[in-house]
Amino acid sequence: MTSPPLLDLIGLSKSFAGVRALDDVGFAIAKGEVVCLAGENGSGKSTLIKIVAGAQPADAGSIAIDGQVQRRWSPMDAVRAGIQVIFQDFALFPNLSVAENIALNQELSAGHRFINWKAVRAVARRGLERVGVDIPLDQTAETLPVADKQLVAIARALLSDARLIIMDEPTTALTEREVRHLLDIIRRLRDDGVSVLFVSHKLNEVFDVCDKIVVLRNGRRVAAGTAAEFDISSLTRHMTGRDIAAESHRRAAGADARELLRVEGLTKHGAFADIAFSLKAGEVLGITGLLGSGRTQLAKALFGLTPVDGGCIAVDGRPAAIASPQDAIAHGIGYVPEDRLTEGLFLSQPIAANIVVGTVDRHTGGGGLLDRHGLKAEARRWIDKLKVLTPSPDLPVQSLSGGNQQRVVLARWLATNPKILILNGPTVGVDVGSKAEIHAIVAGLADAGIGIIVISDDIPEILGACARILVMRAGRITDEVSGEVSADDLALRLAS
Amino acid sequence: MPSWATRNEVIVALVIVALCVVTALINPSFLSLATLFDMLRNGILIGLLAIGVMLVLISGGIDVSFTAIAAFSMYAATMLLVDLGIGDSLLLAFLISAGIGLSLGMINALFIAGFGLPTLIVTLGTLSAFRGFLLAFVGSDLISNVPPAMRDFSRSMLVRGTDAAGYFYSLPTAVLFLIAAVVITWFILYRTMLGRSIFAVGGSREAAARIGFNVRATQVFVYGYVGVLAGTAGLIHASLARVANPSDIVGLELEVIAAVVLGGARLTGGYGTITGTLLGVTLIVLVNNTLVTLGIPTTWQKVMIGFLILLGTGLPAFQARLRANRMG
């Protein structure tokens, strides 16, 4: 007789305000098994995690631990059963030290009323050792880089005798190298007999590390099986419910295309130095590099968000002084930031308002009054053109999924009629289906003569979208490759 | 610049030293035991209140009702002691006043932890309600015949004497309450799980709940603790003044919050130190005292305090921005 699975989910259902978020979902996780929960945004992954973590009750269905159906299931019950969830925000205390962030959990569940700082540090050191990393114990968590925050969260989870660690989109904010490190850690955990439920929509990672894959779509379990039973296209089909052609959207500049942008000797001390490149009309140029390579700083400098210390920028063959975003916009440059939630959108404002906010000036009629009908029509036009999926343009942007939000950001810039568009991490946090469509949109824009710079460390994305790729390392452009290189080759050039 | 140089504590300490030097240059008699004890005496009330406010700020809330709690407890307790003729026991006096403070703090806790309402709104409401209730239903006349225990307490000195220049100096025993509050609060914050839960809740409420802290219990403790401190501070104030004036204390709330913020506590929660808070209190008391000595009109005190707040909170924020820009 085989032992019962560590965790068995049986027929879980959950509705929010009449909408079925989960519908009769069940699967099991055995000891030392790495299971991947795949699904697009809104497929019910997050709801499922919250139920397993005890943060939300299920409407129907049950949870069994070691074959025992649990009657009560609070967050504390989940922790006691050895289930630890690492949420996307890591749930760290930004104001507390690394040591305390790791050890507090354990001190608390041990029922200690008093704090013994020596013990806290010892516990924390043990936690970091199990993860195999070294992070200063006294550093305040909010000053840590994202990857380190995640490692702190993992160390913390391991210490509470975790038998199952659930990671919600653990790789979203990580660079390729950090992802590889994380996957190594997951493999180590598995060898130690710890189970991992890995939630992701980055398909290549799913195959790298998982024993078993469960696919959710619209709250239902649409597929489940060992990793060997899936391949990228079948997985994509299950996740999206349709076939997505892996067509190339690469756009190279035509031979006679005019030069839109020329950058020479651009330098910002401590960020990047001596950057030189040119961008032609209709070209999609990729700039890639690890976190801290200066890629984001460069993007911000091109858009006037950070002042540069030297070098020059020419737009359309004429020198352009770009000292502020206003200057950049006046020269026809648009910038879609990496973090669209905080930098790119007015989340609580209607979709329509978000689209036309950059072009309000063009819709002022007599006496400086706004032409409301004109604005509405314009917003509608872009919603149709970019296929933003929404019942009404009057809903707030935060009601949209990640992919649709990104379309709204794009629409805003397209409405300003830019000559050059800088896209920083255009598909971060966007699901597979939307990703392909955003790439197609980008290609379409290039065909229309816009010069596009895609900045990303998502190697498949950059290879799929760009004909020419600049590699940045330590603030300098160290390489220029064509989109024909292999993903492994490019990864090597990034890291070496 | 190293990071310690831009910490609020260091900036505030430097300003304190500078202010002392300037005052001493203009008025050499400033540097005396009498001045020091005077300031300590004046710091007891603000100090006790500030420690409570610091706790609230660390927990991610804000409390503006503590002055009303202090005035209410002070007045109601004095009145009870007088009317019931039980004014001989100092312990009883403090128990009653702190008890009333605790009960009023629990009302805040009920709305904040129980109903989950925003802390500023709740305490703005209770500030007004407590004060109105006090004046309308408890009383609005001065009680100048304070009970014997309180009168004796006001005469009780740890140290007294006359210095070489002939100035009389004395340090009231009441200062022990401030010292005790500092020690107890320090112990709670840095040696107990309860204290860490206050930091944790202020750092991230959600995360605190997820790892199993009882967020509501923490909040109840914080607002109750503020109530006890306010009740105690109120009774000390009435004792030292030998009069229970219901319109005293109220109006100090912004000054106290300013002291705490100057000391580095963040309004967004999670940060605050006792050293910083005490330095902030010292600075506020110093400004209130020395400007008079320097012959600067009292109206300028407010301008000065406002300027110090802008400097004390603006400089570290500015430094952080420079750092962020460099790191990008």
Side-chain angles (χ1 to χ4, degrees):
Chain A
M1 200 186 118
T2 55
S3 59
L6 169 64
L7 173 75
D8 199 0
L9 306 174
I10 307 146
L12 293 177
S13 295
K14 175 86 185 170
S15 299
F16 294 103
V19 179
R20 279 242 143 162
L22 271 188
D23 192 358
D24 194 23
V25 171
F27 61 91
I29 302 174
K31 181 174 186 291
E33 194 175 33
V34 179
V35 176
C36 178
L37 184 62
E40 302 204 281
N41 289 329
S43 60
K45 291 174 304 189
S46 313
T47 310
L48 186 77
I49 295 174
K50 281 185 189 143
I51 292 174
V52 173
Q56 275 174 2
D59 296 340
S62 54
I63 295 172
I65 300 292
D66 300 322
Q68 298 284 314
V69 172
Q70 305 292 307
R71 232 169 271 156
R72 277 180 51 243
W73 196 247
S74 71
M76 284 318 276
D77 294 324
V79 169
R80 251 177 249 128
I83 296 177
Q84 286 286 329
V85 184
I86 298 171
F87 289 95
Q88 262 172 301
D89 60 0
F90 313 134
L92 292 187
F93 301 103
N95 55 330
L96 301 184
S97 68
V98 167
E100 218 178 342
N101 265 295
I102 296 174
L104 202 55
N105 205 346
Q106 207 177 20
E107 295 290 298
L108 186 66
S109 48
H112 295 169
R113 287 179 176 275
F114 299 99
I115 284 268
N116 173 351
W117 290 104
K118 249 192 203 145
V120 164
R121 294 177 64 87
V123 166
R125 218 170 285 125
R126 214 166 60 230
L128 288 175
E129 266 166 28
R130 272 200 74 184
V131 183
V133 292
D134 194 20
I135 299 172
L137 289 178
D138 292 321
Q139 201 170 342
T140 313
E142 70 177 346
T143 61
L144 290 175
V146 183
D148 283 358
K149 283 184 187 164
Q150 185 173 51
L151 295 173
V152 168
I154 294 174
R156 174 170 76 180
L158 284 177
L159 280 176
S160 339
D161 295 321
R163 298 198 293 154
L164 167 65
I165 294 185
I166 302 177
M167 297 193 198
D168 188 5
E169 303 284 359
T171 58
T172 311
L174 301 189
T175 60
E176 286 285 332
R177 186 164 44 173
E178 289 163 341
V179 169
R180 280 203 298 275
H181 186 205
L182 177 68
L183 296 184
D184 285 343
I185 289 173
I186 290 179
R187 285 187 197 102
R188 256 177 65 186
L189 295 180
R190 178 180 60 192
D191 298 342
D192 282 354
V194 178
S195 310
V196 178
L197 177 64
F198 187 88
V199 181
S200 179
H201 54 233
K202 283 198 182 172
L203 298 175
N204 45 346
E205 290 166 5
V206 176
F207 285 108
D208 268 6
V209 74
C210 288
D211 303 319
K212 203 167 106 180
I213 297 173
V214 175
V215 185
L216 293 187
R217 190 172 76 233
N218 297 330
R220 292 177 154 276
R221 196 189 90 172
V222 291
T226 60
E229 296 169 33
F230 293 90
D231 59 27
I232 292 264
S233 69
S234 70
L235 193 55
T236 308
R237 194 170 58 243
H238 286 305
M239 284 167 73
T240 59
R242 56 186 192 272
D243 276 307
I244 290 175
E247 62 179 290
S248 167
H249 295 298
R250 268 181 234 152
R251 292 296 186 271
D256 53 346
R258 76 201 153 91
E259 187 177 82
L260 282 179
L261 178 73
R262 171 167 283 281
V263 174
E264 266 166 23
L266 207 62
T267 299
K268 176 168 176 58
H269 300 311
F272 52 82
D274 215 12
I275 301 293
F277 65 88
S278 77
L279 175 73
K280 288 183 171 168
E283 185 185 21
V284 182
L285 172 70
I287 298 181
T288 185
L290 300 173
L291 209 63
S293 61
R295 58 185 157 92
T296 292
Q297 283 286 358
L298 174 61
K300 287 186 166 175
L302 290 176
F303 190 58
L305 279 166
T306 38
V308 292
D309 297 320
C312 55
I313 300 173
V315 177
D316 264 341
R318 278 188 300 275
I322 296 175
S324 71
Q326 284 83 352
D327 295 342
I329 292 167
H331 283 100
I333 300 175
Y335 174 63
V336 177
E338 200 170 13
D339 185 354
R340 62 180 169 270
L341 298 186
T342 59
E343 293 174 20
L345 287 169
F346 303 99
L347 283 174
S348 57
Q349 293 284 316
I351 295 161
N354 267 285
I355 293 176
V356 297
V357 66
T359 50
V360 166
D361 289 351
R362 264 190 257 139
H363 291 277
T364 40
L369 291 178
L370 283 179
D371 168 14
R372 292 196 157 272
H373 288 290
L375 284 171
K376 240 195 175 126
E378 166 129 32
R380 275 235 175 268
R381 201 155 58 78
W382 288 109
I383 288 175
D384 292 343
K385 202 162 171 184
L386 296 189
K387 301 196 192 95
V388 179
L389 206 64
T390 173
S392 159
D394 298 326
L395 289 176
V397 164
Q398 61 199 8
S399 69
L400 297 175
S401 68
N404 281 306
Q405 287 181 357
Q406 192 68 315
R407 284 169 217 216
V408 172
V409 183
L410 275 175
R412 137 125 42 100
W413 284 110
L414 295 179
T416 65
N417 237 338
K419 284 183 286 197
I420 299 163
L421 203 51
I422 304 168
L423 308 175
N424 194 355
T427 57
V428 171
V430 168
D431 52 56
V432 199
S434 291
K435 216 169 183 170
E437 281 169 30
I438 286 176
H439 288 158
I441 291 171
V442 168
L445 296 174
D447 292 342
I450 299 177
I452 294 171
I453 300 175
V454 173
I455 297 172
S456 175
D457 64 347
D458 182 339
I459 289 179
E461 163 168 291
I462 216 124
L463 285 174
C466 309
R468 198 155 64 90
I469 301 161
L470 306 176
V471 178
M472 280 185 81
R473 226 163 50 212
R476 288 172 183 275
I477 293 178
T478 52
D479 232 334
E480 176 173 337
V481 295
S482 78
E484 306 300 331
V485 298
S486 74
D488 289 342
D489 183 20
L490 186 55
L492 215 64
R493 287 170 196 247
L494 280 183
S496 59
Chain B
M1 218 186 286
S3 67
W4 60 263
T6 57
R7 286 181 55 165
N8 281 63
E9 280 103 323
V10 180
I11 297 171
V12 173
L14 289 177
V15 174
I16 290 174
V17 171
L19 205 56
C20 287
V21 169
V22 171
T23 316
L25 285 177
I26 297 172
N27 180 1
S29 71
F30 173 77
L31 291 181
S32 68
L33 218 49
T35 317
L36 179 67
F37 286 176
D38 237 25
M39 298 221 318
L40 271 171
R41 178 202 247 320
N42 291 333
I44 298 172
L45 175 69
I46 296 187
L48 284 171
L49 296 176
I51 288 170
V53 169
M54 178 190 73
L55 228 59
V56 177
L57 288 189
I58 292 176
S59 78
I62 188 161
D63 187 342
V64 293
S65 70
F66 58 91
T67 53
I69 295 180
F72 194 112
S73 319
M74 157 194 88
Y75 191 78
T78 313
M79 197 174 197
L80 269 176
L81 293 167
V82 172
D83 289 356
L84 300 178
I86 49 171
D88 293 323
S89 162
L90 188 67
L91 179 66
L92 191 64
F94 272 110
L95 283 180
I96 292 175
S97 189
I100 296 173
L102 177 64
S103 317
L104 297 179
M106 284 299 137
I107 295 180
N108 280 336
L110 173 72
F111 285 105
I112 291 164
F115 302 146
L117 299 179
T119 56
L120 177 63
I121 309 292
V122 168
T123 55
L124 269 175
T126 52
L127 165 70
S128 190
F130 293 159
R131 180 156 174 67
F133 192 86
L134 172 68
L135 296 176
F137 298 107
V138 184
S140 52
D141 302 328
L142 298 186
I143 304 176
S144 44
N145 59 332
V146 295
M150 286 167 70
R151 209 162 41 236
D152 294 345
F153 183 56
S154 77
R155 295 204 191 97
S156 161
M157 298 295 159
L158 282 181
V159 190
R160 70 172 85 213
T162 314
D163 65 12
Y167 287 105
F168 176 76
Y169 63 83
S170 66
L171 184 63
T173 311
V175 80
L176 290 181
F177 280 85
L178 180 59
I179 294 169
V182 165
V183 172
I184 293 170
T185 309
W186 176 86
F187 184 82
I188 292 175
L189 280 181
Y190 297 103
R191 284 288 178 270
T192 70
M193 217 54 188
L194 174 66
R196 301 324 288 168
S197 83
I198 297 174
F199 278 100
V201 169
S204 166
R205 219 187 126 103
E206 184 122 336
R210 274 187 202 156
I211 72 167
F213 277 122
N214 187 338
V215 175
R216 287 177 173 194
T218 302
Q219 284 184 318
V220 168
F221 171 79
V222 167
Y223 291 94
Y225 195 75
V226 172
V228 170
L229 281 174
T232 311
L235 197 85
I236 291 173
H237 175 77
S239 300
L240 294 184
R242 290 185 217 173
V243 58
N245 179 352
S247 44
D248 265 5
I249 305 177
V250 171
L252 277 181
E253 49 278 342
L254 290 185
E255 208 162 285
V256 174
I257 293 173
V260 180
V261 171
L262 272 174
R266 292 196 204 159
L267 289 173
T268 45
Y271 289 88
T273 61
I274 292 182
T275 325
T277 300
L278 292 179
L279 284 169
V281 170
T282 309
L283 184 54
I284 296 279
V285 172
L286 196 64
V287 168
N288 285 344
N289 284 346
T290 55
L291 292 191
V292 181
T293 330
L294 294 177
I296 299 169
T298 49
T299 40
W300 280 92
Q301 285 175 14
K302 298 244 182 244
V303 178
M304 175 89 174
I305 289 173
F307 175 74
L308 286 174
I309 291 175
L310 291 179
L311 183 81
T313 53
L315 202 56
F318 182 67
Q319 288 284 344
R321 218 176 74 188
L322 284 186
R323 250 197 319 276
N325 267 349
R326 268 202 307 276
M327 279 169 51

